[in-house]
Amino acid sequence: MSLKKSSLLIVLILVIDQVSKVYVKTHFALNDGFVVFDWFKILFVENDGMAWGTKISDLIPIITDQSAKLFLTLFRIVAVFGIGIWLVNSIKNGKTRLLVIAISLILAGALGNIIDSVFYGIIFNDSHGQIATFLPEGGGYSSLFHGKVVDMLYFPIWKGAFPYWMPFVGGEMFTFFNPVFNIADMAISTGIGMLIFFNKAAFRES
């Protein structure tokens, strides 16, 4: 797979990701949405942490939320440069098409979420109880590098209670699948899944 085709794939995913995020951000207040099917909903939430909403400040209490957010955003930027170098080297060295596609998906997803983290705080105002405005006159809800990632894809496929015989969680309600995510997250998960499940095919000498 050529660098040109890889770049087109990355741009396509970025466009779909950002269009969906900007639409949701400018048409819904936080926690609003609508039902597509019983098992699929559009639900607008924002994530200022790592996967599943975890924050570095939750893991290391001495770090403030602002410092943790800045560290996470900078780490993501460094990681994207590393993934980009991996992609270019894989193409130059004639690695498998499967590997190049997987890396391209991961890179596109990482870039998509970095755009939110870096810029959304300054180009949108707050979404709590209101629909956000693009480039508001009074300024954004935060500063550069402190934006929140927009999530909207929610698949509550099944809701029920844990059996009472289960320790600690018996009788408690749970939802499968509970996390809310976005197109960028899907790209990252798909790319990583390809590397895990098709490892031998991806890394074989072409």
Side-chain angles (χ1 to χ4, degrees):
M1 187 174 186
S2 67
L3 182 59
K4 181 178 179 180
K5 290 181 178 179
S6 171
S7 299
L8 288 174
L9 175 60
I10 292 170
V11 170
L12 176 63
I13 293 170
L14 275 176
V15 169
I16 296 172
D17 176 65
Q18 288 301 308
V19 167
S20 64
K21 288 174 176 176
V22 171
Y23 179 84
V24 167
K25 184 73 176 171
T26 56
H27 286 77
F28 299 96
L30 199 62
N31 298 318
D32 283 348
F34 61 91
V35 176
V36 181
F37 303 107
D38 289 341
W39 47 269
F40 173 41
K41 301 178 181 179
I42 298 298
L43 177 64
F44 172 32
V45 300
E46 290 182 313
N47 174 15
D48 59 359
M50 300 180 291
W52 318 108
T54 304
K55 299 179 182 178
I56 296 176
S57 53
D58 293 335
L59 305 175
I60 309 174
I62 61 173
I63 299 178
T64 65
D65 285 348
Q66 285 291 90
S67 298
K69 177 62 181 175
L70 177 60
F71 175 81
L72 179 60
T73 301
L74 293 176
F75 173 79
R76 284 172 170 165
I77 293 172
V78 172
V80 159
F81 275 105
I83 297 169
I85 293 171
W86 184 20
L87 174 62
V88 172
N89 287 339
S90 295
I91 294 171
K92 285 184 177 179
N93 294 329
K95 298 297 182 180
T96 63
R97 180 184 181 86
L98 184 63
L99 178 62
V100 173
I101 291 175
I103 300 173
S104 299
L105 290 172
I106 295 170
L107 180 58
L111 283 170
N113 285 335
I114 281 175
I115 292 172
D116 299 30
S117 297
V118 173
F119 298 111
Y120 274 29
I122 60 174
I123 65 175
F124 292 109
N125 54 359
D126 193 69
S127 294
H128 287 86
Q130 65 177 4
I131 296 174
T133 303
F134 180 67
L135 297 177
E137 291 183 6
Y141 64 81
S142 189
S143 55
L144 193 68
F145 295 106
H146 290 93
K148 297 178 181 179
V149 176
V150 173
D151 295 323
M152 80 294 290
L153 303 177
Y154 181 42
F155 290 85
I157 296 172
W158 188 83
K159 293 183 179 181
F162 287 108
Y164 283 97
W165 53 264
M166 292 186 66
F168 307 112
V169 295
E172 293 185 8
M173 297 296 296
F174 76 100
T175 302
F176 179 86
F177 178 73
N178 200 47
V180 184
F181 52 97
N182 56 45
I183 300 297
D185 297 330
M186 288 179 60
I188 294 171
S189 298
T190 302
I192 292 174
M194 290 170 65
L195 295 181
I196 293 174
F197 294 106
F198 304 103
N199 183 276
K200 291 184 179 179
F203 288 98
R204 76 170 186 268
E205 293 297 327
S206 58

